[in-house]
Every structure is written in C-alpha cells, then in structure tokens.
Amino acid sequence: MGLRGPAPKRPEDLVGNVSRARRDGDDLKTVKIGANIVHKAKPPAVSSEWNDTAKLIYNSVKKSAQSSLYEASDWAVLHSLMFDLSKYQSFGVRNAQYLSAIQTVLNDLLITEGSRRRRRVLLDKRATPVKAPPGSTEWHKDAKRLYMAAKKGQQAEWYEPADWAYLHFVMTELTQHRETNSSGLMFATLHSMLADVLMTEGTRRQLDLDLGTAEEKNGGPTEGDKEVEKWLVEFTKV
C-alpha cells in the first residue's frame, strides 16, 4: 500500500545538523508551474475503452505540473494502467490487492502530493488553487462529506488536478466499500490512499507539511480540516 518511512522536509523547514546539499535544496527536484504544462514526451490519446474515472485521471495528469517530468515510458505506463483501472472498476466485488497495486503505480507516477514529497519532487504552490471536479450524486453520504471537507481544507492548496482526480477515485471506492462491506484489507488500502492526499493532520506531520498554528493562520484549522477528521472518525466506526 502507501509508501513507508519518514518523509523529507522542505528546505525552509530544515533545522539542526544537515548536509549543505539538503539545506540548499540541491537534492530536490523543483518544478515551476507556468500558465501551460510543457511535456517532454507527447501523451498518447485517451482510449474509448476506458471508463469515466480513468479518463478523468488521465486528463488531469496531463494538466498537472509533475507530468512535465514524464518520459514516453511514463506516459506508456499510465496509459496501460488506465485499462487496468477500468477493468478493476468493472468488478462486482472489488479486490483490495488489485486496488493497492493501482495505488502503487499511481504513486510511482507522482500523482499525489504525498508521493511527490516522498520522492523529493517540489512543485510550486499555484497562485490560484486548482478547482475540484464535481462529486458524484451516487457516492455514499460520507464520501460526499469527505470530498466537500477536502475542498475546504488548507492542504488542498497543494493539490494539482491529478490529486483531485485521485481523491475522486478514492471516494468512488469508499462508496463501494460501504455498500458491500468489503474486507479489512480494502479498508486499510482506502485509508492509505487518503493519506496520499494529506487528508489528516497525522499524515501531514509525517510528511512535514505544516499548515500553521492558530496564531500563524489567524484561526487555526479550517472547517474543512475539522470535517475531514470528523468523518474519518465516523468511517472507522463501521
């Protein structure tokens, strides 16, 4: 499932005895976000065989800054994965190991802010936060509330379009889990995927993302942060 081990700090957060390269950020890959994303390799066309979730993720990745790092091989891997994702979602009963494998490949492609931080890829924060795609009316009520709460949370300031598409995918799978009472392994995989998009304070601290104290942020945790924590607690009761 998700990546393990301590995550590196951003250069401005480093204190104490650290290497000059790390303090200066020389071991970071920094990606500037401009008006347009310039790709080194041309992305293959979207396949008509994919489902709507796969199309949303693929098109969102093309609009995300990290895709400017992609070689042709990265696009080929992502393109192939979208067939697998579509196949996975066609299953009447979801398979947790299959979902975990999809999560691993998506993280290898730096789809989420959590995976980028662990790989020491630093994207500039966008001047205007990315707009989330509309949620689904078919989601479970808790998925709808979590998604709405994420929109209000400060961590969303770091989201690229691909992060939102990833979270959209997770909400669909969370709904499926709630409606079918699937396995504990599925439960664990979904929570690992929520961690990839920095949904809880514990994950944010592990990844050295400091959203600030009440004094620093003129009010402390946002209503969105509180809603995320509330509904994650409710989710774990089931």
Side-chain angles (χ1 to χ4, degrees):
M1 288 179 282
L3 294 170
R4 304 298 181 187
K9 291 180 179 289
R10 295 168 65 90
E12 63 267 26
D13 296 329
L14 293 173
V15 295
N17 185 22
V18 297
S19 70
R20 176 176 295 178
R22 190 175 180 202
R23 185 180 298 281
D24 293 343
D26 292 342
D27 61 341
L28 283 172
K29 177 63 177 181
T30 303
V31 180
K32 302 294 182 181
I33 300 177
N36 297 299
I37 305 300
V38 178
H39 297 126
K40 294 195 295 184
K42 184 178 179 180
V46 170
S47 172
S48 60
E49 297 180 40
W50 297 346
N51 68 8
D52 290 343
T53 298
K55 291 175 182 177
L56 174 64
I57 291 175
Y58 192 78
N59 287 325
S60 296
V61 171
K62 290 195 290 185
K63 299 174 184 176
S64 299
Q66 70 272 14
S67 68
S68 65
L69 303 173
Y70 282 14
E71 301 290 342
S73 58
D74 296 275
W75 286 116
V77 169
L78 180 61
H79 198 271
S80 176
L81 182 65
M82 294 303 97
F83 282 99
D84 294 311
L85 188 152
S86 298
K87 178 181 178 181
Y88 159 79
Q89 289 197 311
S90 72
F91 298 159
V93 177
R94 301 288 208 260
N95 182 292
Q97 291 179 315
Y98 203 138
L99 178 59
S100 180
I102 290 172
Q103 177 196 14
T104 297
V105 180
L106 289 174
N107 279 328
D108 286 344
L109 291 166
L110 309 178
I111 297 296
T112 64
E113 180 64 11
S115 63
R116 293 190 290 271
R117 284 172 178 264
R118 288 192 181 280
R119 268 75 170 198
R120 299 194 60 72
V121 173
L122 175 62
L123 304 185
D124 282 346
K125 186 186 292 187
R126 290 179 180 253
T128 302
V130 174
K131 185 177 179 180
S136 171
T137 58
E138 297 180 358
W139 286 345
H140 186 276
K141 63 180 181 180
D142 286 352
K144 293 177 182 177
R145 286 165 174 157
L146 278 170
Y147 195 69
M148 182 62 68
K151 292 182 182 180
K152 301 176 182 178
Q154 287 177 282
Q155 75 279 355
E157 296 176 4
W158 296 98
Y159 283 9
E160 286 293 294
D163 293 86
W164 280 118
Y166 183 90
L167 183 58
H168 196 281
F169 171 41
V170 177
M171 294 302 97
T172 299
E173 295 311 303
L174 189 154
T175 296
Q176 181 75 5
H177 170 70
R178 274 295 181 87
E179 293 177 348
T180 61
N181 295 316
S182 55
S183 68
L185 181 57
M186 177 63 77
F187 175 84
T189 301
L190 290 170
H191 271 276
S192 176
M193 295 180 79
L194 289 174
D196 291 336
V197 284
L198 316 176
M199 287 289 276
T200 63
E201 180 63 12
T203 300
R204 293 190 290 269
R205 287 182 176 273
Q206 184 185 26
L207 293 173
D208 295 308
L209 175 59
D210 184 5
L211 298 181
T213 63
E215 292 78 10
E216 292 169 333
K217 295 298 181 181
N218 298 318
T222 67
E223 289 303 312
D225 297 326
K226 295 176 183 177
E227 280 291 303
V228 167
E229 296 290 350
K230 172 184 175 182
W231 288 104
L232 284 176
V233 169
E234 290 298 317
F235 179 49
T236 59
K237 292 180 181 179
V238 178

